[in-house]
């Protein structure tokens, strides 16, 4: 992978977290993502699923800040993301998966509107991905790829491992 391709991938991954597009990742981005997911699936913030989603969003933010917020200002810049998060994620993708797990578990529960026992339908995961900023095309492809056993349902474990792989960016080739 050349430097330009690497930079494009990093920018795309950073933008996935920077929900408000202000150039930094912060707690508000995680809360905004949670609020949009709840609104999309008609779930209130005060119910058990809503509370779990906000708690998961906070845990995810705290984990991200712990990995990448080098200067301690409670914001992760693109440079901090590239320098801290991406390197640490590449070195230990399981750690990233674990900080994301509470949010992802709660997001799957919110998207599980058909009560499939903590597994959401492919269509529901596609909706969730679109709400979080993925294009319709990418959301559809991603949701289909997460249904590894082709039963029409996506489990937490599939989402957690896929997210870790997605954010584990390989460094560009030396030029």
């Amino acid at each position: 992978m050349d430097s330009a391709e690497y930079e494009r991938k990093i920018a795309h991954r950073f933008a996935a977290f920077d929900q408000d597009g202000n150039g930094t990742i912060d707690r508000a981005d995680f809360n905004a993502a949670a609020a949009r997911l709840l609104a999309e699936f008609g779930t209130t913030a005060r119910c058990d699923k809503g509370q779990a989603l906000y708690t998961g969003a906070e845990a995810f933010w705290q984990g991200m800040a712990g990995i990448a917020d080098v200067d301690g200002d409670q914001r992760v810049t693109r440079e901090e993301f590239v320098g801290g998060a991406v390197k640490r994620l590449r070195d230990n993708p399981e750690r990233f998966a674990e900080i994301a797990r509470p949010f992802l578990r709660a997001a799957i529960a919110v998207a599980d509107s058909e009560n499939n026992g903590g597994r959401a339908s492919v269509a529901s995961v596609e909706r969730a991905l679109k709400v979080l900023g993925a294009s319709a095309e990418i959301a559809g492809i991603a949701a289909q790829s997460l249904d590894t056993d082709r039963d029409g349902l996506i489990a937490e474990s599939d989402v957690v491992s896929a997210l870790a792989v997605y954010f584990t960016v390989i460094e560009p080739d030396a030029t």
Side-chain angles (χ1 to χ4, degrees), residues 35 39 42 64 81 89 93 113 141 150-151 175:
M64 174 66 72
F81 184 78
L89 298 178
S113 53
I141 292 167
R150 299 293 176 236
D151 67 352
T175 54

Side-chain angles (χ1 to χ4, degrees), residues 60-144:
F60 200 174
W61 160 245
Q62 289 295 328
M64 174 66 72
I67 288 173
D69 184 17
V70 177
D71 61 11
D73 67 353
Q74 294 297 297
R75 292 183 314 220
V76 175
T77 65
R78 186 173 184 277
E79 292 74 27
E80 286 174 321
F81 184 78
V82 171
V86 172
K87 181 189 181 318
R88 289 189 181 121
L89 298 178
R90 187 180 59 249
D91 293 345
N92 189 354
E94 296 80 24
R95 179 175 180 212
F96 180 68
E98 289 312 309
I99 67 169
R101 186 178 298 279
F103 178 76
L104 296 174
R105 176 182 300 129
I108 289 291
V110 167
D112 179 15
S113 53
E114 298 90 13
N115 294 316
N116 292 310
R119 298 181 310 150
S121 70
V122 171
S124 291
V125 170
E126 183 176 346
R127 281 175 56 200
L129 291 170
K130 285 192 259 186
V131 165
L132 293 175
S135 70
E137 180 184 359
I138 296 297
I141 292 167
Q144 288 293 328

Side-chain angles (χ1 to χ4, degrees), residues 9-32:
K9 286 185 176 188
I10 292 295
H12 190 349
R13 283 151 178 80
F14 180 82
F17 282 113
D18 183 15
Q19 294 280 301
D20 59 13
N22 70 352
T24 63
I25 302 167
D26 58 22
R27 177 178 280 112
D29 292 310
F30 286 83
N31 287 334

Side-chain angles (χ1 to χ4, degrees), residues 15 28 37 54-55 73 79 116 118 120 126 144 152-154 156 173:
L37 280 171
Y54 276 110
T55 299
D73 67 353
E79 292 74 27
N116 292 310
E126 183 176 346
Q144 288 293 328
L153 299 172
I154 299 168
E156 168 193 334
D173 295 332

